[in-house]
Amino acid sequence: MRKNKICIVIGSAMNLNSLYKDQFKYLMKNGYEVTGVAPSGEEHNWLQKDGVKTKVIHLKRPPSIFNDLFSVFQLSYFFIFNRFDIISVSTPKASLVGTLAAKISLQNNIIYTLRGRAYEGATGFKKKFYEFIEKFVCNNAKKVFCISHELRKDIIKKGICEEDKIFTIGSGSSNGVDLCKFSRDKNTLEKGNQIRAKYNIGKDDLLILYSGRIRKDKGINELVDAFNELCQKHPNVYLLIQGKYDYFDPLSPEVIKIIKENPRIIEAGWEKDIEGYYAASNIFAFPSHREGFGNVAIEASAMGLPVIGFDVIGCRESIKNEVSGILVSEINAQVFAKKLEELILNPNLRNRLGTQGKEWVYNSFDSKMIWKHLLNIYDGMLDKENYAFRANR
């Protein structure tokens, strides 16, 4: 029996692995042949070892007519000689390139995963330009999977996407949380102990973790400035920054200097499995300036960590204020430091938020529920007569 073929196009190999890896396994178990398309990265090898087909595509994040046209040509060529039943696109540049290539190759069964807005906070021509691209992708997609309710409502309000086309699953998120993987079992706790030992972090020391892309709009400038102030007052506190530098949106030179020179700021590279880092930590910092939905925040909550982040779109749905963590009212290093210090000084608050957050995630974000709904969407895109649209609006 022929398997249905789905192609996922996304803007980085890091995201291809972190946002889709376990979802790919689920889809393959349920009769789909999966191909992931992204720029180069070691994550292609990781996914191929799990049986996922991948394709490296030339894709540069800064706008460039020559590079972008080359990307469209390369992907169109790939699509012409590789026919798919469904093409799924997400992240700004990959969505535009993927949609154009799909249309050129006459593959119109497109689903767009709207993960957030790169132009959040932009004004004038830049904002109108990105909204035009967003609307183009939405108009050419059969379905639009928006990963947060707040973002979905705003996209509809602005007339960027038709209400009957765009949906959100459950309480939000694109992938949910694998509750078996992100748990404090014996194996994960041992990984956490090994990480603390590797970086000479004592049993009574307090470790703050950031995990993700290392760039300005992820709030790393504010996080490092806040920590640099607090570590003068709290000698047993450490910050571990785990992830990849993104030079498209670089940190300030002053912050890079602090990271390199402060002995209590630890840098760890991006890894395939990160649950050990959650197990090693006491607080999870998620100071992003904008998000579609913060999956790492609910992963941290599943591991029983209190989460601190800014009160911005996307983060408001992945951090439940005073339940799973603390939402900081303004994007400001001093205000962030004040709220972070509350967590540092109050172990009872950390324990309460960690316990409540874990219960909230277990009740709201089980990845198997998300995958089941997505599978239903994909099946419906292939078989209109038997399709029952059950995603929560």
Side-chain angles (χ1 to χ4, degrees):
M1 182 180 175
R2 178 189 177 276
K3 290 186 175 183
N4 294 317
K5 298 172 71 175
I6 183 168
C7 181
I8 310 289
V9 184
I10 197 166
S12 78
M14 179 181 173
N15 286 340
L16 187 66
N17 179 72
S18 62
L19 297 174
Y20 283 104
K21 177 180 64 177
D22 296 318
Q23 188 181 131
F24 285 161
K25 294 176 184 177
Y26 178 83
L27 289 172
M28 290 188 292
K29 284 181 182 177
N30 284 275
Y32 278 80
E33 180 183 304
V34 178
T35 300
V37 174
S40 62
E42 60 185 331
E43 293 86 353
H44 283 273
N45 293 328
W46 298 349
L47 289 166
Q48 288 167 10
K49 287 177 182 177
D50 289 334
V52 180
K53 295 180 178 180
T54 72
K55 165 72 175 175
V56 174
I57 181 177
H58 173 90
L59 197 65
K60 298 292 184 182
R61 196 166 283 167
S64 165
I65 292 176
F66 175 79
N67 282 323
D68 295 346
L69 286 175
F70 180 78
S71 299
V72 172
F73 172 81
Q74 183 190 19
L75 192 55
S76 299
Y77 184 84
F78 176 70
F79 283 165
I80 287 168
F81 291 97
N82 295 270
R83 311 305 290 177
F84 295 98
D85 299 290
I86 296 172
I87 293 175
S88 171
V89 298
S90 70
T91 66
K93 179 66 73 71
S95 297
L96 177 60
V97 168
T99 299
L100 286 169
K103 301 298 287 185
I104 290 168
S105 61
L106 304 179
Q107 299 190 67
N108 295 315
N109 219 13
I110 302 167
I111 182 168
Y112 172 36
T113 302
L114 207 170
R115 298 188 177 280
R117 293 178 292 205
Y119 56 92
E120 197 77 51
T123 57
F125 174 77
K126 182 179 179 181
K127 183 177 181 180
K128 290 184 182 299
F129 176 71
Y130 278 106
E131 285 182 343
F132 172 79
I133 292 173
E134 197 95 80
K135 192 168 186 176
F136 170 80
V137 176
C138 287
N139 285 344
N140 284 280
K142 286 193 174 178
K143 294 290 179 187
V144 177
F145 175 24
C146 186
I147 67 175
S148 85
H149 290 279
E150 185 179 5
L151 182 58
R152 176 181 176 270
K153 289 176 183 176
D154 199 52
I155 288 290
I156 294 168
K157 182 181 177 182
K158 286 181 165 61
I160 292 171
C161 187
E162 300 165 15
E163 185 172 0
D164 62 354
K165 181 185 285 190
I166 187 170
F167 65 94
T168 300
I169 296 175
S171 298
S173 136
S174 66
N175 202 40
V177 177
D178 184 335
L179 300 177
C180 295
K181 178 179 179 181
F182 293 99
S183 66
R184 302 182 80 85
D185 58 23
K186 183 179 178 181
N187 183 51
T188 305
L189 289 172
E190 178 57 31
K191 288 180 182 177
N193 290 334
Q194 290 171 4
I195 289 169
R196 290 182 77 97
K198 177 180 178 180
Y199 296 112
N200 297 314
I201 299 168
K203 184 178 68 173
D204 297 324
D205 292 332
L206 191 145
L207 180 61
I208 301 162
L209 172 68
Y210 169 83
S211 179
R213 286 178 291 164
I214 303 170
R215 54 183 288 175
K216 184 170 68 175
D217 77 354
K218 291 297 181 181
I220 307 302
N221 287 340
E222 289 81 8
L223 173 60
V224 171
D225 283 341
F227 178 80
N228 200 45
E229 174 189 327
L230 292 172
C231 72
Q232 322 271 339
K233 301 159 62 177
H234 304 286
N236 68 324
V237 177
Y238 291 79
L239 171 64
L240 194 156
I241 299 175
Q242 191 265 329
K244 284 184 179 179
Y245 278 87
D246 189 335
Y247 296 102
F248 175 67
D249 184 30
L251 306 182
S252 73
E254 295 79 12
V255 163
I256 292 174
K257 188 172 186 287
I258 293 170
I259 292 172
K260 301 301 180 186
E261 294 181 356
N262 190 324
R264 283 195 274 140
I265 298 180
I266 301 158
E267 291 184 88
W270 185 245
E271 294 189 18
K272 181 179 180 181
D273 297 306
I274 62 169
E275 56 271 22
Y277 286 93
Y278 292 127
S281 305
N282 305 98
I283 297 169
F284 188 74
F286 187 55
S288 183
H289 297 180
R290 62 166 184 86
E291 286 294 323
F293 186 98
N295 234 58
V296 287
I298 57 173
E299 288 173 358
S301 291
M303 296 287 292
L305 294 181
V307 184
I308 181 169
F310 291 118
D311 188 4
V312 296
I313 190 168
C315 295
R316 285 191 280 266
E317 290 182 60
S318 54
I319 304 170
K320 195 169 186 180
N321 195 36
E322 299 299 335
V323 174
S324 70
I326 294 174
L327 286 171
V328 180
S329 59
E330 59 181 293
I331 298 175
N332 177 281
Q334 284 70 42
V335 180
F336 192 85
K338 183 179 178 181
K339 291 297 183 180
L340 180 57
E341 190 170 33
E342 290 180 17
L343 289 172
I344 290 170
L345 292 172
N346 194 335
N348 290 332
L349 176 62
R350 295 199 303 269
N351 290 335
R352 176 172 64 80
L353 294 175
T355 300
Q356 291 173 172
K358 182 176 179 179
E359 182 179 359
W360 174 59
V361 168
Y362 269 60
N363 290 333
S364 306
F365 298 105
D366 187 342
S367 58
K368 291 183 175 61
M369 180 272 291
I370 303 283
W371 299 340
K372 183 178 179 182
H373 276 270
L374 270 178
L375 183 65
N376 182 56
I377 299 295
Y378 294 150
D379 287 346
M381 291 175 70
L382 299 175
D383 184 2
K384 293 181 181 178
E385 292 183 4
N386 298 325
Y387 173 48
F389 187 76
R390 295 192 295 268
N392 293 330
R393 288 177 174 269

